[in-house]
Amino acid sequence: MKTTMKIIIYLLFIIPFFALSQQNSFSENLFTDYETYKESSITQRMFKHSDIQPLIEKLKLEKGFRVVTLGKSIQGRTISMISIGNGATNVLLWSQMHGDESTATMAIFDIFNYLKKNKEILNNVTLHFIPMLNPDGAEVFKRRNAIGIDINRDALRLQSPESRILKMARDSVQADFGFNLHDQSKYYNAEQTNKPATISYLAPAYNYEKDINETRGNAMKIIVEMNDIIQKYTPGQVGRYSDEFEPRAFGDNIQKWGTSTILVESGGYKDDPEKQFIRKLNFVSLLGAIHSISTNNYKNTSINKYLEIPKNDRKLFDIKLTNVTFQYLEKKYTVDLGINMAQMNSKDQNNSNPIGYLREIGDLSTYYGYENIDAKNMTFKIGKTYPKILSSLDEIENLNFETLLQDGYTTVAMDHIPDELIFTKYPVKFIAVNDIMITRDNTIPKSPLQLGSQPTFLLTKNEELYYAIINGVVYEFGK
Ligand SMILES: [Zn+2]
């Protein structure tokens, strides 16, 4: 073989590897240096238009940033587009089309801080960001806009100004790539695994046949690149959405209009209720994707790797209890329980306490839990009601809750329940005297585990208390 031939073959092998390692170190540095870029004024996922407007105003003074007002939401809040760079490839990123899906909006403001200092990534691209497309929804932290329309089902009728703004922005910049940034329920998992789908992706179909043309194929390749990044930090925690064609959705239509469209859904991550770690993953993987577009690295990847990403499933509970054996009408039943947590806010919104709802009963062997408790060999006990009826908060303060639970009391009756106790941090269930159930002789009592209720019971082993489940919240006692 001629030497030149050898060199060419060598280069053919080495160039993709070089590109890959370059991409790796780029995202690794972003991960390490994240705190340098994190927008410190946003610290939790409920924030409003008025919180981001000052940040957008400041960007107007920043070199290289162009801010345009695209229009106004139904209630009159401005929707802005921030553009950076002058490269030939146009990339459009929009977030929070659903008002309560704010993770990527947080990441976008981190990305702005990165771009203030780092312009190399802009060599071949022009970036256009629309953070918070649905500010009216964000105001009340709800999915839909002010007239109750799901903007993601309004891509054809364009009845909402927010929808028209997105369509207009896509058309005016003739975006080559589009990032459709959402949040999904934390109960999604990667199919047949106990791993939450911390991030899920979709290259939406543009027709019912789910054909793959160059536009959609390129979106798949970008997803492969993003998946490689996320897998490093949360192995196995990526899902791929079903690509059923939805003719009314924006992702599907923008793909159809010729923009390679990538749907990103931020899901759940253990012990990250404010989604700050997932925000960081968005920061790293979105910049990674932009880097890949700018360098054309994604062209070296294969669409097949997209199809290998596990499917999204929805089989997670916050708490899964297995092998709970309870008695009802003198017979025994063994079931698994799925409990999901919610936060109950006090009237003044200053206090918030967890509460758990029983969402599934039965054979949950195909389901998973963020927390898992095996109740095998434990005895299920319905707690007793404390014999003394209490009248004041002081009396409650004087109770020894641990002793109460050890003695089998889960419930305390009161003359009337003060507001402060409705969403209580105390590990007992409070009931008003009037609510004490009187079982008449001729009525069949209800099973102790009611779907949709806040379950309250005890689990013991050899007469020793292991778990108290009070209003769906688990308190652990066993050693
Ligand atoms: Zn959404």
Side-chain angles (χ1 to χ4, degrees), residues 98 101 143 182-183 265:
H98 295 136
E101 299 177 6
R143 177 182 178 87
H182 290 252
D183 282 68
E265 297 271 359

Side-chain angles (χ1 to χ4, degrees), residues 343-379:
Q343 288 291 326
M344 287 298 234
N345 297 323
S346 61
K347 263 188 196 158
D348 58 9
Q349 301 284 319
N350 287 331
N351 286 303
S352 171
N353 282 305
I355 192 163
Y357 291 97
L358 183 56
R359 293 300 181 204
E360 193 52 277
I361 309 178
D363 176 356
L364 302 186
S365 55
T366 58
Y367 283 77
Y368 309 94
Y370 278 95
E371 308 274 354
N372 291 280
I373 296 170
D374 189 356
K376 199 175 181 184
N377 303 324
M378 290 189 199
T379 306

Side-chain angles (χ1 to χ4, degrees), residues 144-157:
R144 295 177 179 231
N145 71 4
I147 56 165
I149 279 187
D150 181 342
I151 296 169
N152 210 20
R153 297 292 177 268
D154 194 32
L156 298 180
R157 283 206 186 162

Side-chain angles (χ1 to χ4, degrees), residues 22-36:
Q22 199 194 6
Q23 176 78 356
N24 274 339
S25 66
F26 177 76
S27 58
E28 275 159 23
N29 291 339
L30 290 175
F31 193 87
T32 313
D33 300 339
Y34 174 67
E35 291 301 323
T36 325

Side-chain angles (χ1 to χ4, degrees), residues 140 183 295 328 331 448 469:
V140 288
D183 282 68
T295 56
Y328 176 55
K331 287 215 171 60
I469 290 94

Side-chain angles (χ1 to χ4, degrees), residues 96-101 143 150 152 180-184 241 263-265:
Q96 223 168 337
M97 165 192 292
H98 295 136
D100 57 351
E101 299 177 6
R143 177 182 178 87
D150 181 342
N152 210 20
N180 187 12
L181 306 171
H182 290 252
D183 282 68
Q184 67 183 354
Y241 252 94
L263 170 73
V264 182
E265 297 271 359

